[in-house]
Structure formats: structure tokens, C-alpha cells
């Protein structure tokens, strides 16, 4: 069976185009998430004045992606502590009793 030109133009080329577009979209999203994690870890290291590794856990986008709630643990720390990171203002909040944390990461914000 020979492959004809209409088959290539009507089936193979659009399928390859869709695959390339999907790879660009999802690959860009994955790179964006990795850079945001690094940004949060850098803000935590600066705020805590530490050079040890910081582990992030339970990250959750709030306020339609303008904020991130989660928990962090330093390499020399015992347990996890909560934080809120405002992605638009690049601002980190570690005080769980603050208004900014409770309005974005409190139980009422999740429901």
C-alpha cells in the first residue's frame, strides 16, 4: 500500500501539530510550576535566614492562582510549618494568625 499525499496532509500533519501544541502547553505549565516552587523556597530561605534545604508539602493554589498555601520543613527542622505566598506581590506570610493567612488559607477559604 502506498501512502498518498492527501492522507499525509489530512491526517498525519494535523495530528503532529496537535501533539506539538499539547507538548508546548503542558511542558510550559510544568516549567512554570517548578520555577514557582523554587521562588517559594528562595523566599522561605531568605525569610528564615537559612541556607539548608527546604521541603515543600501540600501546596494549594488559592485566590485563582494568585496565592499558594502550603507547609514547609527545613532540613534541620523537626516538623512542618504553614505559610502563604502571594504570587502577585511576591510576599511571604509565615504567621498563621495573621489576617492575610487566615483569609486565604483558613478553613473558610477552602470550603
Amino acid at each position: 500500500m502506498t501512502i498518498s499525499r492527501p492522507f499525509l496532509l489530512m491526517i498525519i500533519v494535523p495530528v503532529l501539530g496537535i501533539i506539538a501544541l499539547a507538548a508546548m502547553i503542558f511542558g510550559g505549565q510544568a516549567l512554570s510550576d517548578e520555577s514557582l516552587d523554587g521562588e517559594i523556597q528562595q523566599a522561605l530561605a531568605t525569610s528564615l535566614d537559612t541556607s539548608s534545604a527546604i521541603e515543600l508539602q501540600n501546596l494549594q493554589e488559592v485566590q485563582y492562582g494568585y496565592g499558594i498555601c502550603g507547609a514547609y520543613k527545613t532540613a534541620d527542622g523537626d516538623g512542618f510549618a504553614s505559610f502563604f505566598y502571594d504570587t502577585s506581590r511576591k510576599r511571604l506570610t509565615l504567621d498563621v494568625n495573621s489576617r492575610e493567612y487566615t483569609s486565604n488559607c483558613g478553613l473558610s477559604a477552602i470550603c
Side-chain angles (χ1 to χ4, degrees), residues 19 38 42 52 54 56 59 67 72-73 86 101 105-106:
I19 290 171
Q42 181 64 37
S52 62
I54 296 176
L56 300 177
L59 298 180
Y72 71 93
K73 177 183 174 184
D86 187 348
Y101 180 85
C105 300

Side-chain angles (χ1 to χ4, degrees), residues 40-42 44-46 48 50 52-56 72-75:
I40 293 170
Q41 288 172 334
Q42 181 64 37
L44 282 164
T46 303
L48 298 171
T50 184
S52 62
I54 296 176
E55 178 186 349
L56 300 177
Y72 71 93
K73 177 183 174 184
T74 58

Side-chain angles (χ1 to χ4, degrees), residues 71-106:
Y72 71 93
K73 177 183 174 184
T74 58
D76 53 355
D78 292 333
F80 285 90
S82 299
F83 71 90
F84 170 71
Y85 184 72
D86 187 348
T87 57
S88 62
R89 292 186 290 163
K90 312 280 190 232
R91 190 173 185 182
L92 181 68
T93 304
L94 298 176
D95 182 15
V96 295
N97 295 321
S98 69
R99 178 183 171 140
E100 189 171 20
Y101 180 85
T102 56
S103 64
N104 291 299
C105 300

Side-chain angles (χ1 to χ4, degrees), residues 2 15-16 26 71-72 80 107:
T2 62
V15 167
L16 291 176
F26 293 114
Y72 71 93
F80 285 90
L107 183 59

Side-chain angles (χ1 to χ4, degrees), residues 33-43 56:
D33 287 345
E34 285 180 20
S35 67
L36 184 60
D37 288 355
E39 188 177 309
I40 293 170
Q41 288 172 334
Q42 181 64 37
L56 300 177

